[in-house]
Amino acid sequence: MPPSSCGSFAQLARPAPAKKQARYSRCDQVGDPLAASPTPGFQQPVQEMDQQTLLHALVTTLLDPNPSRITTTVLRFTFPPPGTHALQTPVSTLAFDDRYELLWAGNEYGRIIAFFGPELHRYTTYRGHRSHEGPVRQLLFHDKGVISVAARSVHMASRRGLVLWHLTNDEMKDLRCMSYTTGPASEILVAGMQNVMMTVDIDKGVVTRKIAIDEGFTMMKLHRYICAATSYGTVKLLHATTFDVVRTWRAHAASISDMDAKNNCLVTCGYSPRPPQGYMPDPLANAFDLKTLGPLPPIPFHAGAAFVRMHPRLSTTAIVASQTGQLQVVDLMNPHTATIKQVLVSTYLTHLELAPSGEALAFAEADCSIQLWGAPGKMRFQEFASAIEMPDPPGPFSFVSPSSPLSAIGLPYYREPLLSAGWPSHLLFELGAAPPKVDADVLASMVVTDFGGYAVNPHKTRRNQVERTRATAASAASRWPGAVVAPKFLSEKAREKADHEPPAAAGDAQAGGAGPRPDGRRPSGDLLDAMLGSATDGGAVGSLTAEVPAMYRSVEIKYSRFGVEDFDFEFYNQTAYSGLETHIANSYANALLQLYRFTPLLRNLALQHAATNCLEEKCLLCELGYLFNMLESARGQKCQATNFLRTFGSAPQAAALGLVERGAEAGGGKTGMGSGAGAGADAAAGGAPPPASVMIQTMNRYVLERMAVDYKLMMAQSVEFEQTMATAALTGIRCVHCQTETTRPGGSYVTDLVYPTTTSRPAVIAPTNATAAHASRPSLPPPPPPAAAALPSFARLLTDSIARHDQTRGWCDRCRRYQLLATQKTVDRLPAVLLLNAALDGAKQHGPVARQCWATPGWLPVQIGLVAQDDGRLACYEGGHLRRQIEAGRVPPQAVYDLVGVVAEISVGGSGGGGGGGGRELQSGESGSLGASSSHLVSLINVSLSARSAPAAADDSNNNNSDSGQWYLFNDFLVKKLPSEESALRFVPSWKLPTVLAYQVRSGRHVIDDSWKTRLDTSILYQDYSSRARRDSYPCRLLDPATEAPRPGMLVGIDAEFVELQQAEVEIKADGTREILRPSRLGLGRVSVLRGGSSSGDSSGSSSASTTTTTTTAAAVASEFGGGAADESSSASDLDMAMDMDSGSDSDSDHQAQAQAQAQAQAQAQADTHANGDRFTPFIDDFISTSAPITNHLTAFSGLYPGDLDPSRSTQALVPLKIAYKKLWLLLHLGCIFVGHGLTTDFRTINIFVPKPQVVDTVALFFLDRGNGPGSGRKLSLRFLAWYLLGEEIQGGGGGAGAGAGLAAAGLPGATTTTTPAVLGLGHDSIEDARTALKLYRCYRSLQARGRLANLLAVLYRRGWELGFKVPVPLPVVPPVAAAGGEEKGPAVGGEMGKSEE
C-alpha cells in the first residue's frame, strides 16, 4: 500500500512504541487469571453519557496525541483456563448480554463464562457442552437464560448457570449458528454445515421442525429477514416464518468471515482468492440494503476487513477491524471519510463485539486474551440494564458439637418446585413396589405345609397377571401434589349403586339410578372441594407461589366404551353455570365465549339477531346467540360449542390469522397452546404454534369484526352494535418534517394495552474498594437495595392505550419520501362494552414493567370512569379518585364501567403436578384429570352483573350490593365459585397472567332482554329451502301457518341420522383391553320431525314419564294425543288380561300378554288414523349438505348412502346445517315437546339443549332399573319395543332413505348373494323411527293410566332376556293387522346404533 494513498493513515497504523505497552496490564498467573492492574481512570464511577458516547470515544479520543490524558483500553486479561492446572484456551465466541451488564465468552471445551461490569468480575462459570460436542459457536440471550450452540448440541441455562435443557439430535452434526424467528422470543432456528436446519422450542427444549437445505450456513443475523451466510461467500435472506429464500446476494468470492445487520443495512467481511498467496481478506466491506434488497457502496478497508459491527444507536455508523488490530469507524453514507486506530495485539484478533449501549468494545486474541475498550469511568454495556441477581454473602458458620441435637440445624423451605421435580424421564426409575395383597378366598382355603402353603385358584385374574401396586390413586396424589384423580364413570357408579342398594320399584326409579337432591342435581360429597380446594379457603387460590392450584390446571375428558356420555361432568361443576367441553377442535376459545356470555349487552345483541330470519350459513353472531341460549337453559349441565367453533374454523380468514388449531379440519381434540400442539397458518406452514394468549387476543379482535358484519346483514341501518361495542375515534397523522396533517377513521372494537418502556432508570452497581484492585481483583460487591419503582396506574395506562400517541416511519405525500410520522388518536365516543387485550406478549420488549403492574395486588380496578371530553381528550379515573369525581358530578353515571371478567393464561411447567407431559392433546391414562398442561386459558367472571334485574328468590335481593363477591372460575367444564374478588384478580407472573378484559357500563347491570322470544321469525318453518324441489309423492308436507302453527305443548316426533366425520382412536393395551383415546366425531346427516296429533280430546291422566316430563307438561301431552277415555277403555278388558299376568308367568302367558298389548295398540292407531289423517305426517325432513369428508356413512344405522349428502351428486332435498338447526331451535322456543328414542345422543350431536319438560324419550319410558330381574338396567332398542308392544317390524329392508339400491349401492364390502339388506338392518328411516316413538308414547300413556306399567316392564325384560333383546327370526307370533295404514313387514334383525344398549 503506497504511503501517498493513505496520508496520515500510515503513521496511525504503525505499531505503538514499547513504552505504551507498559500501560496495559496483562496477567499470566494460573491461580488468578483475572488479577490485573487497571489503568488510572479505572476507579471512576459509571456516569451518564449522551447519545454520541461511542462516536466521541472512537473519533475524538482515539486521535488525541497525548496518551497520558486519555486511555481507550480499559482492561486486558487472559481468558481463564478450564481447570486449575490446565492451560489457557482461546475464546471460541464472545457476546455482550442484551439485558444485563454481562460479557459472555465460550471456549473450545464447551465451557461458558460470564463477566460482570466494566471491571469484568467473574459472575458465573458452567459447562454447557461436552468436549466431543465441539466448541461453543454462538450465544443468544433470552429472558429466562442463555442459549449456546455447539457442533452437536444446543444448550440453555439460566444466567446463574443452572441447566434448563440440553438438546442433542442424530442430525446435529456440525452446527455453526442460530437465530430467533419472528414473533415472541419462543423459537430459534439452528443451522450449520449440514443439509438440515431445525427449529427449537425455547420453552420446552425440543425440535419442532426440520427443514432441508441445499448448502450449510456458517452464521446468521436477524433483521427483517434471517440473513444466513454460506461457506461460499453468498448471503441468503430467509423469510423469518416460512424460511423460504427471498434473495441471494453474492457478497464475497470465497467465504464470509463476519457480518452484522441493523437499521435495514447488512455489512459483510470476507475472503477472496489471491494467487499465489491463497485466500486473503478483501480490502473492503460490502453493504446491502435490506429494505430495497439492493447493494450499497462498499466500505474501503485496505488492511483487510475481518470483523464488522453496526452501531446500535447511530444508524449509519459501522466499526470495521482487521486481524492485525486496525480499527476503522466509518459512516455508511460517506464511506470515504473514516477514523482509524490501532489496537495493540500480540498475535491476531479472533473476535470483535460491540456492546448494546455502543459504549464498549471487546476483542479476543489468539493468545487467549480479551481486551475491553471504552471511555474509562463512563462505560456501560447496557443503556438501561436490569438489576442482576447477586450471590448472598456467606454468613458466619457455627460449629455444632456431636452432642447438639439435629433439630438445631434448620432446613430450607422451598416455595418453588425443586430441580429434581423436572428430572428427565429416562433417568427416573421406580423401585420398591409394594407386594400385592393375597386374595381373601386364597387365605381362607390355604393349606399350610412345611414349605409354605397352597390353595385352590379362585380364577379372579388371568394367568401370570398381577396387580400393579404403583398405579394407585394414593401414589399418584403423593407423587404429583395438586393433581386430581379422575372420577369414576357413570356406568361404574350405577353398577356399584345397584350392588350396594336394594332395588327400586320398577317404573318409579330414575333412569340414572341416583336419587336427586331437592334442587334436582345429583348429590355429591366433599370430594371435589377436597381435591380442588375449599371455596371458603382462599389461601391456595391467592397464593403467590409457583405451584399452580389444582382448580386452575388443565382438564381433560376420559372416555369409556359408552363414549363421552359416560364421563361424570357433574363432578367438576356443582354450580348453576354451565361449562364447555374440550374434546372438539378450537375449544381453546371456551374461556372467551364464557366472557362474552356473561356480558349482558353483548348477550342481548346476539340473541336478538338469532331471532331474526338470518339465513347466512356462516353467521357467527347467530351461532353465538344459539350458544348463549343453550348455556342459559342448561343451568349447570354440560354444553359444547360445536356449531360455533365449526363455523368459526371454516372461515378462511380465521385460518389465515393462525386461529384454527392443527387438525381442526380433521376434528382433533383440544390441543395445547404453546406446548407442541400446533395451531394456525404458521403451524401449518411448519412454524411454531403461537401461544394461547396470542391466539385468544387475535380471535377476540377477529370475532368482533365478523359479528359487526353479520349484524349489518339483517339491520343495515342500525348503529346499535357500533354504539355498544366500538370505540369511535379519528387518527391524526402528522409528518414531523413538513408538519402536514391528515385524518382517517381510527375506530376499533378492541383496544390493546400499551405499556411504558420503563418506570425509572435502574441503579447501576458501581465498584467498591477500587484501591485494592492493584493487588488483586476485588470480590463482587453486593447489590444496592432496590429503589421503589413508580408503576403507572391502570387508569393512566388505559388512557394512553385508547388515545394512543405513536411515531412510525411512513410515506409523506408532500415530501414524496418516507418520513417520521406522528400519529394521535382522538376519541369521539366510548362504547358501552369495552374489550381490552392485555398484550403481555408484545410487552416483553418493554422489560419487566408490564408484569410488575399485573403482579401488584389491587392494580386492576373493578370500576373505572371513562369520559370523552369535548376537545377529544380522554379522562380516566379509578378508586377513591373516581368516587370523588362522581360525587362532584364530573363523571356521569353512564361513564362508570364495571369489570365483567378476565380471560387468563395459565402456564404450568413440565415439572408440575398432574401426571403428564405438556400439551392439551388427549393422552391415554391421564385425560380426565387435572394434569400439567404447559399453557391453557381460563376465565374469571363476576356473574352477578348478568343476573336478572328482578330477583326470583329472597336471597338474590342483595345482588346489587354483593356484585364483587360473585366471582367464578370457568376452566372449560370445571366451574367453581371463588372465595373473593381478591383471589380472582390476583395475578402471578409465573403462572397466571391476563389476556382479555371486559368492562361494561354500570347502567348495563342486570339488563337481560328476553323480548326476542316474542319476536321470533318463524317463516322458515313454512318454506322449503332445499336445493331441489321435493317430489309430489314425498311424504313430507310443510306446516300450514293458519291452522298448524307450533304452540306450547304441541307434540312432535323427532329422529336424526348421523354420519361419521372422523373415526375413533382406540388403543389396544397389552392385556387385550381397548381404551378410547378419542371418540368418533359424528355429523348430522338427516333430521325428521313429525306431527304428533291434534289438541282435541280429553286428558286421561298425568304423564310423568320417568324424569322426562313434569306434571304440568304431562297434562299438555295427554291432551295433545287426545283419543279420550273411551278409546283407552275400548279394549280395557284385553289390556287387563295382559296386565294381570304375573311377572313370573311362563312363556305362553308372555306371548298372550304381548298379543293383547299389540291388539290394543293397533286398535288405537286405527282410531287415530280415522280421526286425523295428518297425524304422524312429517313436516321437516331435511338432508344436511356437507363439504367435509365423510369417513363412514353408517348406512346400516342411518340409511344414508355415499353421495346422499354431496351437493354435486345427491338426489335428496339438501339444506345447510344452519337451516335445519334453526327450525329445531324455533320449535324449542315455541314450546313444542319432542318425542323420540335416544334423544340424549341426538340432541348432543345436533348441539342443542332441550329442557327436560320438553323431552319425552321412550328409552327412559320403558326402562327397568338394575337389580329388578334378568336384563334390568339395559336400555331397549326401538326395534325391539316396536315388535313387542306394537307388533310392527321396523328398520327392515324397505323404507330407508335411498333404500332398495341394494348392497352394491350401500358399498358394503364382503356382501354375498345370500345376504339381504333386511338382515343387515339397512332399512333405517328417520321418519319411521320418529313415528314409532310417537306410537310407543301413546302405548305408555295407556299402560300408565291403567296402572299396569310395572308388570308389563317385568314381562318385557324377561322376554327380552330370553331372546337376547333381539327380534326373533322368524317371528314366533303371527303378525297382527298392520297399524295406521301400514303394511305387514317381514322379519329382520338389528338394532339402532347408540340407542339399543347401555
Side-chain angles (χ1 to χ4, degrees), residues 224-245:
R224 186 181 289 264
Y225 302 100
I226 298 178
C227 307
T230 67
S231 59
Y232 302 101
T234 60
V235 178
K236 294 186 177 182
L237 305 183
L238 307 180
H239 192 278
T241 302
T242 62
F243 310 124
D244 296 332
V245 178

Side-chain angles (χ1 to χ4, degrees), residues 917-942:
R920 304 197 68 171
E921 199 70 30
L922 307 181
Q923 300 293 336
S924 172
E926 62 190 30
S927 53
S929 65
L930 295 174
S933 169
S934 76
S935 177
H936 67 283
L937 299 168
V938 302
S939 52
L940 308 151
I941 301 174
N942 185 2

Side-chain angles (χ1 to χ4, degrees), residues 1107-1123:
T1107 61
T1108 313
T1109 63
T1110 62
T1111 304
T1112 304
T1113 306
V1117 172
S1119 172
E1120 188 67 26
F1121 265 112

Side-chain angles (χ1 to χ4, degrees), residues 1344-1361:
Q1344 191 182 49
R1346 304 295 298 176
R1348 306 299 185 179
L1349 178 62
N1351 291 336
L1352 179 67
L1353 286 178
V1355 176
L1356 173 65
Y1357 269 85
R1358 186 174 64 250
R1359 181 59 174 160
W1361 178 262

